[in-house]
Amino acid sequence: MSPHGTQRRPLVAPLFVPADRPERFDKADRSGADAVIVDLEDAVAPAAKDAARSNLRQMLALHNPAYVRVNAADSSWYGEDIAALKALGLRRICLPKAESPVTLDAVVQALGDDVEIIALIETARGLEEAAALAGHSHVATLAFGPADFALDLGVAASEALRAHAMMRLAVASRSAGKALPLDGPSFEVTDTARLSFECRQALDHGAGGKLCIHPAQISHVTAAFRPSEEQLRWARRVVDTARDGAARLVDGRMIDAPITAQARALLLKGQSQSSEGA
């Protein structure tokens, strides 16, 4: 839900673009991503932060939802980042290393009650506070930062660690009535097989989409999180067979009320994504 209570379509494939590359803003806007995240943090060297911040004005011309990933709240750049957003009337923010609702409250106090936040979970404390962060009224979605998370734990990044975090974020998000979380990006930009594998894993672990760091990733991520034709055909058979509410066998599987509800939800998701692409 947005801060004003209206339902927003969940993000599936938002694209990061460096704030110090303003010539890429419009390209990102036309890339097929469902949102643009202009990055003041990891993508921008310390010496370029001020110049990058001055480019945010160009975001006002973008058509898709556009967020700014500011620097972490404990950094020396954070205050100026927030001041720049406030001056420009930018109200969508991607907050790295989110760990406390108190920090989110401070963002709202600074930017106003119409602010919308993507809360990036990148630390052990952030994961422990995921339920409280997801439950904050101004958080649109949680997202996972696997590299910083592994760094915070002092261990090597692994599929098991990513799975553990994603499943906890999915439970926290749905418990708070929010959209499923976004998985972290694939850093193998040209390896589509690896990207497809990561998308399948993310789906299995409860993700609703995946952050993108290159335009070439968007179509693969969007397709991976869209119901396949095979899934939709199965869902139609289930719904058609179970119209009277009684349990039935479909393709050798016993279908009861919860399975029928899942099938209906799958069809609604397919219809929503088809209308978005029209």
Side-chain angles (χ1 to χ4, degrees), residues 157-159 162 183 185-201 210 217 220:
S158 68
E159 292 172 12
R162 194 170 191 146
D183 186 29
S186 176
F187 297 102
E188 301 294 336
V189 173
T190 61
D191 189 342
T192 57
R194 177 65 193 181
L195 177 59
S196 295
F197 171 78
E198 288 189 20
C199 287
R200 289 194 300 271
Q201 292 288 92
K210 190 172 178 66
Q217 297 176 326
H220 297 282

Side-chain angles (χ1 to χ4, degrees), residues 12-17 183 185-186 210-215 217-218 221:
V12 174
L15 176 65
F16 280 105
V17 60
D183 186 29
S186 176
K210 190 172 178 66
L211 297 168
C212 299
I213 56 173
H214 192 279
Q217 297 176 326
I218 295 165
V221 171

